[in-house]
Amino acid sequence: MAVDAAAVRPGATPQPAEPLLRVAHVTKHFRAGVSGVVHAVEDVSFDIKPGETVGLVGESGSGKSTLGRVITQLVPATSGQVIFDGVDLTTLRGERLRQQRRHLQMIFQDPFASLDPRMTVGDIIAEPLVNFGLHDHKEKDRKVQELLRVVGLNPYFNNRYPHEFSGGQRQRIGVARALALNPKLIVCDEPISALDVSIQAQIINLLEDLQREFNLTYLFIAHDLSVVRHISDRVMVMYLGKIVEISPSEDLYESQEHPYTKALLSAIPVPDPKIESQRRLVELSGEIPSPLFPPSGCNFHTRCPIARVPGICADEDPQLQEKSPGRFAKCHFSDEVRTKV
Amino acid sequence: MPDITKPILEVKNLRTSFFTDDGEVKAVRDVSFDLYEGETLGIVGESGCGKSVTVMSILGLVQRLGKITGGQVLFRGKDLTKIPADELRHVRGRDIAMIFQDPLSSLNPVLSVGYQIDEAMYAHDVIKHDDIRARGVDLLEEVRVPDASRRIKDYPHQFSGGMRQRAMIAMGLSNKPKVLIADEPTTALDVTVQAQILELLRDLNQNTGTSIILITHNLGVVAGLCQRVIVMYAGEIVEEGTAEQIFENPQHPYTWSLLRSMPRVDTSRRERLKSIEGLPPDLIAPPPGCKFNPRCPFRIEQCFSDDPTLETVGDDDRHIAKCWVRMKRAYAEMGAATLTDTRPGAASGVRPPKTLVEKLEDSREIEPDTEAVGDLRGS
Ligand SMILES: Nc1ncnc2c1ncn2[C@@H]1O[C@H](COP(=O)(O)OP(=O)(O)OP(=O)(O)O)[C@@H](O)[C@H]1O
Ligand SMILES: Nc1ncnc2c1ncn2[C@@H]1O[C@H](COP(=O)(O)OP(=O)(O)OP(=O)(O)O)[C@@H](O)[C@H]1O
Ligand code: SF4
Ligand SMILES: [Mg+2]
Ligand SMILES: [Mg+2]
């Protein structure tokens, strides 16, 4: 089904549209040792509208990649639903799953590790096309060259190997490969974290141009809230497997509904000495707890500056609730964030 | 009060090369700068521009294929590139301490954290032996490792990434060094932990007057911590100035471009990022003239033939830049203020000379051409 992306252009007021992706109560546990369970993703729910870019931030180990891999069905969910284009992917198997998954691609952080060093760039990009039945050599070459041109690489370099390209160029190859099957949704997992500062902007601009051109929808995962805020329409903040805040990007810097979001924002340095000299860091006590033994109640209560412990925060897990139009937070005391954190 | 007029470390015309099978990689090309007492100096620039090799050269740590091919490193009147190895070993760790990006690889996994901190002190005889054990705990407390007297017996793997970096800083501080060199100390850490480590360095500088050289590619980190900034590109210093000068009035197009290419968390997201096109040059055979010329929007003909030198810009001799054009002129004559097209030569309209053009057409990168694709469009 073609999607009317014009109605949801970033910048335009989003129209109420059917979500392209609906994640409902997704949980992912990993076994660890004999009896341990890693609570990597815990009861996560959200929607992404067609044409939208939703950002996902959180500290290392918070479960961002795991969530991305569950959505793209690279790993099965422990429970919950991943409804893509109206179909629950978690109920599909075999050929039907494969056919749905072509519309859902993923770009990875490490452009070095994610490309097979023994394959030519042309074969790497064509692989998904071949998997879906394109065998004609001329047609394949033509597609590959088109894709190379789209991502800004010289089409006549299709017979070269990945090691002949720089990090940024390899990431372009990864993008070309992800585009080959004309996907609707691309999960970008830290696509620029391994790249140099001056190259990061090139890739961000490319991703934005491609989105406009091909009506793409992105889930954009990164550590760096500055980058996420730039590229996203909405930002989700994850802590220890749970989404603690969802906010339109525009509003996020001005105010926060969750104490963790506020702490995260306060820690980001800005390239301006005047602003830096006035920045006030919201200190979090202690370290991020192990996902093997997540804290009771609100799992942020061990570090939260406004937690009521003993009390409700240690006993009861707050729900992710709409606090003001379009802004969701998972905190018993979100009205205090503005004044007391 | 820091005395920011007295240099404690003077680097003069430093050159370091790696002699590889492909040729001589000139990683540091004629680098000179001073570090003043009590100041925090930032060195920024992208991967491979020579930041680490510069400070490794200062401490005599370039090894194997690497060799210092020229210049001096003066510390308290002595040239560190000339003194005997055992004397240099005492300068390292006693007078000048260094902390690295990856604390795990610089800590010994089979020895406790406390043992390693103690060793650092025994090695240099600055601290009285009777005081060493107690000082170890004090140091861990100073770098805010909670429950220090118990945690000092832990092994590195029992520490989180942030705690290991704290332990490294404690070790670095153990002999009360005059200079602390921190090479990307927070790059592998989460932002909340990064902020804590940076605060620690700031306190250290203010409370003990230790001079700090902070290497990073994160301009935000520099803005928060450093009084002066050096910007490196392709093995050279291309601009140097106070933090204010570098951030508010950058004169080198590379500095200017870097500042504009990064999204900032505090500004509206609507604007397209002004990217820097292309890649940094190959250090075996960089382009003739200014090494930034293949990527520079403001280049003029002279940039392709002559290599500019570092000169004072404006009226303050602390602010220097290595550029024929400089942003003052780029604003006045090339519309830098409203520039949206940041491709090489876009602002000046200057194309490379013919001999170079052929090489460029052999390039791996082209303009992205989303128009050309029929099949991929829509669905
Ligand atoms: N295959 C696995 N087996 C066991 N545990 C796993 C597995 N994959 C991930 N985990 C654990 O799940 C948690 C979430 O990991 P994940 O990689 O999703 O985090 P992340 O937010 O992507 O972190 P980063 O920012 O470091 O990439 C971590 O504690 C991790 O160790
Ligand atoms: N052992 C080595 N052999 C050959 N070349 C080397 C060696 N070490 C460094 N180089 C080269 O020296 C140049 C400068 O490297 P350096 O490590 O100083 O960069 P950097 O600015 O610290 O980068 P990064 O931000 O990635 O740490 C690079 O081009 C690198 O390839
Ligand atoms: S619920 Fe309590 S502990 Fe959790 S974030 Fe809110 S205030 Fe903090
Ligand atoms: Mg990850
Ligand atoms: Mg380095």
Side-chain angles (χ1 to χ4, degrees), chain B residues 64-119:
Chain B
R64 284 184 296 244
L65 309 172
K67 194 174 178 308
I68 295 176
T69 58
Q72 295 178 306
V73 176
L74 300 179
F75 177 73
R76 291 179 166 161
K78 278 191 187 158
D79 184 354
L80 300 187
T81 66
K82 301 282 176 347
I83 65 175
D86 56 336
E87 199 177 326
L88 184 60
R89 211 170 306 124
H90 270 299
V91 172
R92 266 198 318 258
R94 186 187 60 198
D95 301 317
I96 307 179
M98 182 149 177
I99 55 177
F100 300 91
Q101 169 173 350
D102 179 6
L104 196 54
S105 68
S106 20
L107 285 167
N108 187 331
V110 300
L111 300 174
S112 73
V113 171
Y115 185 88
Q116 297 184 60
I117 296 176
D118 291 354
E119 275 303 287

Side-chain angles (χ1 to χ4, degrees), chain A residues 1-2 10-11 58-60 139 142-143 146-147 149-155 157 160 164-166 169 172 179-180 182 184 196-199 201-202 204-206 208-210 212-215 223 225-227 229-233 249-250 253 263-265 267-276 279 281 283-284 287 303, chain B residues 45-48 144 146 160-163 166 189-196 198-199 202 217-221 223-225 243-244 247-248 254 258-259 261-280 295 361-379:
Chain A
M1 192 190 76
E59 289 177 273
S60 189
E139 177 63 12
R142 195 182 62 75
K143 281 284 279 211
E146 267 178 9
L147 284 160
R149 215 171 283 142
V150 167
V151 298
L153 290 172
N154 189 329
F157 278 63
R160 305 290 182 98
E164 297 177 65
F165 293 83
S166 71
Q169 291 164 347
R172 289 175 197 260
L179 286 177
N182 188 18
K184 293 176 181 159
D196 246 320
V197 219
S198 79
I199 311 298
Q202 295 177 8
I204 295 173
N205 285 345
L206 176 70
E208 288 183 336
D209 292 346
L210 293 173
R212 210 164 17 251
E213 210 58 41
F214 303 124
N215 301 335
H223 280 92
L225 194 46
S226 322
V227 170
R229 184 165 175 262
H230 171 84
I231 200 168
S232 306
D233 301 297
S249 312
E250 280 302 326
Y253 187 74
L264 207 55
L265 269 157
I268 298 173
V270 172
D272 183 334
K274 286 211 184 93
I275 295 182
E276 279 300 293
R279 189 157 60 92
L281 182 65
E283 288 256 15
L284 297 180
E287 309 246 333
R303 304 178 75 197
Chain B
E46 62 199 284
S47 191
R144 295 179 218 136
S160 68
M163 297 240 290
R166 288 167 200 266
L189 305 174
D190 277 316
V191 293
T192 51
V193 185
Q194 164 172 290
Q196 294 164 0
L198 295 175
E199 200 144 273
R202 190 179 300 120
H217 57 260
N218 186 332
L219 289 161
V221 167
L225 203 61
E244 218 183 343
F247 287 97
E248 279 168 26
Y254 176 65
L258 264 189
L259 283 165
S261 70
M262 293 194 340
R264 284 174 56 157
V265 78
D266 62 330
T267 54
S268 171
R269 66 180 202 91
R270 290 283 166 238
E271 247 174 84
R272 189 181 162 84
L273 296 176
K274 313 278 190 300
S275 65
I276 308 179
E277 298 305 314
L279 294 169
R295 308 176 78 186
E361 276 169 2
D362 194 32
S363 149
R364 284 167 175 68
E365 281 175 44
I366 57 166
E367 286 275 292
D369 182 7
T370 44
E371 296 294 311
V373 179
D375 302 6
L376 289 168
R377 191 181 299 278
S379 100

Side-chain angles (χ1 to χ4, degrees), chain B residues 186-317:
Chain B
T186 60
T187 302
L189 305 174
D190 277 316
V191 293
T192 51
V193 185
Q194 164 172 290
Q196 294 164 0
I197 299 283
L198 295 175
E199 200 144 273
L200 192 61
L201 292 176
R202 190 179 300 120
D203 289 351
L204 168 73
N205 171 253
Q206 277 165 9
N207 299 341
T208 64
T210 312
S211 307
I212 297 178
I213 299 182
L214 177 77
I215 296 181
T216 172
H217 57 260
N218 186 332
L219 289 161
V221 167
V222 171
L225 203 61
C226 300
Q227 287 116 37
R228 278 195 320 128
V229 185
I230 285 173
V231 183
M232 286 187 74
Y233 188 77
E236 298 173 329
I237 294 177
V238 295
E239 184 160 4
E240 179 183 324
T242 63
E244 218 183 343
Q245 287 163 341
I246 296 292
F247 287 97
E248 279 168 26
N249 184 26
Q251 285 301 309
H252 197 284
Y254 176 65
T255 315
W256 184 87
S257 303
L258 264 189
L259 283 165
R260 268 153 196 77
S261 70
M262 293 194 340
R264 284 174 56 157
V265 78
D266 62 330
T267 54
S268 171
R269 66 180 202 91
R270 290 283 166 238
E271 247 174 84
R272 189 181 162 84
L273 296 176
K274 313 278 190 300
S275 65
I276 308 179
E277 298 305 314
L279 294 169
D282 170 12
L283 292 177
I284 296 178
C290 169
K291 292 175 191 59
F292 190 56
N293 78 42
R295 308 176 78 186
C296 183
F298 309 105
R299 64 194 181 190
I300 56 177
E301 259 96 18
Q302 194 180 8
C303 305
F304 290 99
S305 52
D306 304 330
D307 197 6
T309 50
L310 267 174
E311 315 245 355
T312 17
V313 295
D315 25 63
D316 179 344
D317 63 5

